[in-house]
Amino acid sequence: MIETAVLAYIGLRRPYRFERAIVAALALVVAIAVILVAARLIAIGGLTSVGPRAYYFLYLLVLLALAVVLVRWPWLAAAVLALAVIDFGWGVGSYALRHHTIGAMSLLPPDKVEPARFQWHALLQAVPVPALQFTSATGLAISHTSEGTRGKDPAPGSLQGRTIVATFGGSTTYDIGAADGDTWSDRLGETLGPDRFFIVNHGVPGYTTVEHLIQTAFYQTKFGKPPRCAIYYVGWNDLRNAHIAGLDPGYADFHLPSQIDSQKVRRVGGAHVTFSPLLTLLMRFVATNFDTARYFADPYSQPPVSGDDPNLDAIYKRSIAAISAINRQRGVATIWVGQLLNRERLTGDGQYGWLPLVRDRDLWPMQQKLNGLLKQTADGLGDTYVGIDPASFVDVDFVDQGHFSARGAKRFADDLAPIVRQLCR
């Protein structure tokens, strides 16, 4: 009796309604595909029972069930089915492409939710959320101080008699691949002697020398005590702006607006991924075209370019000179460190995404050129340049194309410690 009623409802009893049967059959096929993909992700540890990704698959199954419920109205059911197919295709498809380094972004929601690490800032676009402590999706313990820097607060009164050293840089100074205690700033303080030195890690993912100039000018002093020395580990993020036509001297046409999305501080749209890929793209369209913070350059729509960028070189040198002048006026010793990259992963014609107009194989030669420019500029300003031998760092010293592993961070700190000890007494 029930079977007969079901067959009649989906149009497989007289009078036949094959438009209903087609929608129901397609919904069943898509549901099986959704379940198979979910099972595959569970098998490889990419899907847990609670989290945005689990809600995404639940959302798809609810849509497919709703399509079957609505088969009495085939066009309405087909619209719901089409939405499920689009969201399934875009979500899983973009994840597969990104997983094989073909696509630029994944619309599949993450398996686990991390708290927001950063908050919007009128000058710097994104700054660390103060006093934040959490465990990342990769299992790393990460802390921010009450002053909004990476690391932990000093004990009250413990800075008396200790030398403050400030470290500046992007994600390679924030050390996104290292847990608390394993960042190169932490290791540097440990090597120098925690009873004599305190390292303040000003690193923020994505920051270039433009942001470091703002940090140095307005936000260098933390915990009420200015630094004796400031270390700048720079270059990679500035190269992100290479070959952008008419590049703004403050990177305001592309890089600075992109930080709002890279660090997920936009209220709506941007890098946020919802349970529906279609809704995600709609929110990104609205944010890109109607939000106050908009991009004025889209380098990702252009083919990559080889060779150096003299315009970028000039901007880089100017930022270095301005930072140096501020520190010199304050009596802060400035130490510049040339960027290291994982050359073993930068050999092909592909692009891993962060640098829109630079191929992987061109990145290290460009970084070497920028390191040479940094040394030349630092020497001319009377600052100290530290060039760590790139051949001494191999793949296991990194977690990806350029971020240190715990081992790499310690080796980097050990190489820096002697000169910091000498200059920052």
Side-chain angles (χ1 to χ4, degrees):
M1 190 74 176
I2 296 178
E3 179 181 351
T4 301
V6 170
L7 290 175
Y9 187 80
I10 64 174
L12 292 179
R13 300 283 294 181
R14 294 181 183 275
Y16 294 110
R17 305 287 187 186
F18 291 113
E19 67 275 16
R20 297 187 189 180
I22 291 172
V23 172
L26 288 176
L28 178 61
V29 170
V30 176
I32 293 172
V34 169
I35 293 171
L36 289 175
V37 170
R40 171 60 179 167
L41 287 173
I42 291 173
I44 64 175
L47 178 62
T48 52
S49 59
V50 178
R53 189 167 293 174
Y55 302 148
Y56 164 76
F57 283 102
L58 178 61
Y59 156 74
L60 291 177
L61 292 174
V62 168
L63 279 183
L64 294 168
L66 182 61
V68 174
V69 170
L70 295 174
V71 291
R72 180 174 292 181
W73 303 275
W75 288 108
L76 181 58
V80 175
L81 175 60
L83 175 60
V85 170
I86 290 171
D87 276 344
F88 177 58
W90 277 353
V92 175
S94 63
Y95 169 81
L97 291 174
R98 181 60 178 165
H99 188 67
H100 292 88
T101 67
I102 300 175
M105 62 180 180
S106 172
L107 296 173
L108 185 69
D111 186 37
K112 299 178 181 178
V113 178
E114 290 185 3
R117 296 193 192 192
F118 306 97
Q119 61 189 19
W120 183 76
H121 188 277
L123 290 179
L124 293 165
Q125 306 307 314
V127 295
V129 174
L132 177 69
Q133 295 185 3
F134 68 100
T135 300
S136 73
T138 55
L140 300 176
I142 295 176
S143 300
H144 295 169
T145 70
S146 59
E147 295 274 359
T149 58
R150 173 80 197 267
K152 297 186 177 180
D153 287 280
S158 66
L159 296 184
Q160 186 68 29
R162 296 165 76 185
T163 299
I164 305 298
V165 176
T167 59
F168 293 88
S171 54
T172 52
T173 297
Y174 181 92
D175 258 349
I176 61 173
D180 288 345
D182 283 331
T183 69
W184 67 259
S185 295
D186 290 334
R187 292 297 191 181
L188 181 61
E190 180 183 282
T191 303
L192 293 174
D195 57 329
R196 291 176 294 164
F197 287 85
F198 183 75
I199 312 298
V200 181
N201 185 346
H202 293 258
V204 179
Y207 273 22
T208 67
T209 51
V210 168
E211 287 101 326
H212 301 327
L213 176 55
I214 296 171
Q215 286 179 297
T216 302
F218 302 112
Y219 307 110
Q220 189 180 69
T221 297
K222 300 293 184 181
F223 307 106
K225 190 173 181 180
R228 173 67 186 89
C229 287
I231 303 171
Y232 296 84
Y233 182 45
V234 295
W236 192 9
N237 288 329
D238 283 80
L239 280 177
R240 188 181 191 218
N241 298 277
H243 305 302
I244 294 178
L247 180 62
D248 181 88
Y251 301 157
D253 46 2
F254 165 66
H255 169 70
L256 287 180
S258 78
Q259 280 290 94
I260 299 174
D261 295 325
S262 297
Q263 309 313 335
K264 300 182 179 179
V265 297
R266 195 187 292 269
R267 288 185 180 273
V268 176
H272 295 289
V273 178
T274 70
F275 61 87
S276 166
L278 182 61
L279 177 61
T280 297
L281 290 177
L282 178 62
M283 291 172 63
R284 290 182 180 179
F285 175 81
V286 171
T288 300
N289 293 279
F290 300 101
D291 199 314
T292 301
R294 298 192 302 273
Y295 298 90
F296 295 95
D298 181 18
Y300 286 103
S301 64
Q302 304 166 31
V305 181
S306 297
D308 297 323
D309 184 344
N311 188 31
L312 174 65
D313 293 349
I315 294 171
Y316 188 59
K317 288 175 63 177
R318 185 171 56 197
S319 295
I320 293 166
I323 291 170
S324 177
I326 293 171
N327 282 334
R328 187 175 301 106
Q329 188 271 334
R330 294 173 178 171
V332 177
T334 306
I335 301 173
W336 301 96
V337 185
Q339 193 93 46
L340 299 175
L341 296 175
N342 186 357
R343 296 166 299 147
E344 297 180 38
R345 298 200 192 184
L346 297 169
T347 58
D349 289 328
Q351 297 168 264
Y352 72 94
W354 180 243
L355 281 75
L357 296 177
V358 180
R359 298 181 183 88
D360 287 350
R361 61 178 169 83
D362 295 326
L363 179 53
W364 178 239
M366 292 182 70
Q367 185 61 66
Q368 285 182 297
K369 169 75 183 305
L370 217 58
N371 287 348
L373 190 66
L374 178 61
K375 181 182 187 309
Q376 177 187 1
T377 307
D379 290 345
L381 295 168
D383 294 340
T384 298
Y385 173 82
V386 180
I388 296 175
D389 180 13
S392 65
F393 282 75
V394 294
D395 187 58
V396 293
D397 293 313
F398 302 91
V399 296
D400 54 17
Q401 289 85 354
H403 299 98
F404 291 125
S405 62
R407 165 186 148 139
K410 185 177 188 309
R411 296 187 64 224
F412 185 75
D414 289 342
D415 287 344
L416 277 180
I419 196 163
V420 175
R421 183 180 292 111
Q422 176 185 350
L423 293 177
C424 302
R425 293 175 181 172

